[in-house]
Amino acid sequence: MQLSNLEHLPNHTITERLDVVYGSTVRTKHVGKDFLAGLKNIVGGELVAYTQLLEEARTEAVERMIAKATQLGADAIVGVRFSTSNVAAGASEIFVYGTAVKAIRNTPNHQDIPRYNPFGE
């Protein structure tokens, strides 16, 4: 599955728009690591525990989005965007979404393939 934050897929022609797909997860950190992160606020620097938490959450959200696109028979997801929000004290949501599309790799004769803009008319 190819992912692109562009509205097109380089070197490919989008032939069909399938649907908007998304994935999300809500994560919280262990209270012990949260305490250590609080101490880190005093001296400054990267909050490694939170960085790792968000990386794991992004990976899980993307995997869920890809699973939904795969169920639709998509070849790629374009226009991929991430969003995050706090849903409770110490808990954050990672939300990722995009448009599942059918796409084929351009060949020397790709001008014969009808073009399709998944975001336009």
Side-chain angles (χ1 to χ4, degrees), residues 18-78:
L18 299 174
D19 204 355
V20 173
V21 289
Y22 65 91
S24 69
T25 184
V26 176
R27 293 282 184 108
T28 186
K29 203 64 177 171
H30 183 273
V31 68
K33 291 183 179 182
D34 199 37
F35 177 73
L36 293 175
L39 292 176
K40 187 77 172 186
N41 275 338
I42 296 171
V43 296
E46 182 180 13
L47 300 175
V48 176
Y50 285 125
T51 300
Q52 183 181 11
L53 168 75
L54 292 174
E55 180 63 31
E56 292 169 0
R58 274 191 295 271
T59 299
E60 185 171 325
V62 167
E63 287 173 356
R64 290 178 178 174
M65 178 182 69
I66 289 172
K68 289 178 182 174
T70 301
Q71 288 176 346
L72 296 173
D75 300 315
I77 304 171
V78 296

Side-chain angles (χ1 to χ4, degrees), residues 45-114:
E46 182 180 13
L47 300 175
V48 176
Y50 285 125
T51 300
Q52 183 181 11
L53 168 75
L54 292 174
E55 180 63 31
E56 292 169 0
R58 274 191 295 271
T59 299
E60 185 171 325
V62 167
E63 287 173 356
R64 290 178 178 174
M65 178 182 69
I66 289 172
K68 289 178 182 174
T70 301
Q71 288 176 346
L72 296 173
D75 300 315
I77 304 171
V78 296
V80 174
R81 304 287 187 266
F82 287 89
S83 176
T84 183
S85 63
N86 289 334
V87 294
S92 293
E93 176 188 32
I94 296 287
F95 185 75
V96 59
Y97 59 96
T99 302
V101 297
K102 291 257 189 199
I104 56 174
R105 178 174 279 284
N106 290 343
T107 63
N109 297 325
H110 75 272
Q111 286 83 10
D112 300 335
I113 301 169

